[in-house]
């Protein structure tokens, strides 16, 4: 899956059971594939229902989904998202919503649109990407975990390429660098009358 704040996920049309829609007018959502440890790594707690189990994360047939709060409010304003069924088109398999989580900032800051704020999470094995992001929650200095994480990944599978090892603070700094430079330059130009 993706890392929050670092270029979003897959934009897909969403079918909703019991809510007929004109083809081509379905809501466009951001689909993210994630594993069972994702909420713990980010300190995210479902606001309704639950996250994926380890078994669901590893079963490509697991027909479950967790939706973001913004999507839940839009589709089920009464607040009863858990138990409803959705499908990420063109997939024909209906997924049962098992949980709701707060909306996450997946796209780079300032670049998100409506689809980025309507989120659906599916087990990683259902929608595996060519690459994967491993997120580890640290109790102390997260940078100190870089080398142990590299060793652990290589120990599991020696041919897996480990790259772009960063703390979330470094990810945030990297993805907002352009905006920070633009802001400082424009402030200096305005202040200095350029």
């Amino acid at each position: 899956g993706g890392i929050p704040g670092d270029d979003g996920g897959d934009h897909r049309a969403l079918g909703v059971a019991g809510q007929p829609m004109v083809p081509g007018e379905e809501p466009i959502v951001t689909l993210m594939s994630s594993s069972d440890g994702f909420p713990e790594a980010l300190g995210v707690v479902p606001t309704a229902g639950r996250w994926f189990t380890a078994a669901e994360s590893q079963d490509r047939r697991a027909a479950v989904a967790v939706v973001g709060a913004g999507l839940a409010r839009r589709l089920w304003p009464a607040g009863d998202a858990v138990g409803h069924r959705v499908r990420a088109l063109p997939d024909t398999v209906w997924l049962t919503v098992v949980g709701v989580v707060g909306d996450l900032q997946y796209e780079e800051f300032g670049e998100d649109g409506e689809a980025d704020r309507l989120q659906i999470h599916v087990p990683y094995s259902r929608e595996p990407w060519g690459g994967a992001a491993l997120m580890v929650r640290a109790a102390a200095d997260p940078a100190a975990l870089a080398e142990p994480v590299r060793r652990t990944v290589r120990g599991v599978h020696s041919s897996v390429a480990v790259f772009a090892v960063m703390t979330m603070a470094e990810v945030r700094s990297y993805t907002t660098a352009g905006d920070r430079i633009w802001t400082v330059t424009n402030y200096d130009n305005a202040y200095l009358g350029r």
Side-chain angles (χ1 to χ4, degrees), residues 16-19 65 75-76 80-86 94-98:
V16 183
Q19 295 186 23
L75 297 177
W76 306 287
D80 59 350
V82 174
H84 284 277
R85 295 181 313 136
V86 296
W94 288 100
L95 309 175
T96 300
V97 176
V98 296

Side-chain angles (χ1 to χ4, degrees), residues 1-2 4 12 22 28-29 33 37-38 50 56 59 63 66-67 71 82 100 102 108 116 119 129 138 146 164 166 183:
R12 302 273 288 274
V22 175
I28 304 299
V29 301
S33 55
F38 180 79
R50 62 177 178 81
E56 289 166 340
D59 181 359
V66 173
V67 296
L71 182 60
V82 174
V100 178
E108 291 182 18
D116 300 298
Q119 301 165 3
W129 292 11
M166 294 185 268
T183 301

Side-chain angles (χ1 to χ4, degrees), residues 109-133:
F109 295 97
E111 293 185 9
D112 60 329
E114 182 181 3
D116 300 298
R117 292 184 288 273
L118 299 176
Q119 301 165 3
I120 179 170
H121 304 265
V122 297
Y124 184 81
S125 58
R126 174 163 280 288
E127 292 277 340
W129 292 11

Side-chain angles (χ1 to χ4, degrees), residues 1-11 29-33 104-109 111-113 115-117 119 129 175:
I3 296 174
D6 189 26
D7 263 347
D10 187 15
H11 288 171
V29 301
T30 294
L31 183 137
M32 299 299 299
S33 55
L104 298 170
Q105 177 75 38
Y106 277 111
E107 190 59 66
E108 291 182 18
F109 295 97
E111 293 185 9
D112 60 329
D116 300 298
R117 292 184 288 273
Q119 301 165 3
W129 292 11
T175 60

Side-chain angles (χ1 to χ4, degrees), residues 38-190:
F38 180 79
E40 290 83 5
L42 287 179
V44 173
V45 177
T47 58
R50 62 177 178 81
W51 193 259
F52 311 126
T53 65
E56 289 166 340
S57 292
Q58 297 169 19
D59 181 359
R60 79 174 189 82
R61 295 167 300 161
V64 294
V66 173
V67 296
L71 182 60
R73 280 191 303 275
R74 178 171 171 176
L75 297 177
W76 306 287
D80 59 350
V82 174
H84 284 277
R85 295 181 313 136
V86 296
R87 60 188 176 126
L89 301 172
D91 196 351
T92 58
V93 176
W94 288 100
L95 309 175
T96 300
V97 176
V98 296
V100 178
V101 293
D103 297 324
L104 298 170
Q105 177 75 38
Y106 277 111
E107 190 59 66
E108 291 182 18
F109 295 97
E111 293 185 9
D112 60 329
E114 182 181 3
D116 300 298
R117 292 184 288 273
L118 299 176
Q119 301 165 3
I120 179 170
H121 304 265
V122 297
Y124 184 81
S125 58
R126 174 163 280 288
E127 292 277 340
W129 292 11
L134 174 65
M135 297 177 64
V136 178
R137 186 170 186 86
D141 178 17
L145 292 178
E147 194 48 41
V149 167
R150 284 179 199 274
R151 278 194 311 270
T152 301
V153 170
R154 285 187 199 113
V156 171
H157 203 296
S158 62
S159 67
V160 171
V162 179
F163 60 94
V165 177
M166 294 185 268
T167 66
M168 283 304 295
E170 290 169 332
V171 169
R172 196 170 27 255
S173 178
Y174 174 76
T175 60
T176 60
D179 292 331
R180 286 183 285 115
I181 291 168
W182 184 86
T183 301
V184 169
T185 301
N186 283 319
Y187 173 79
D188 287 347
N189 289 343

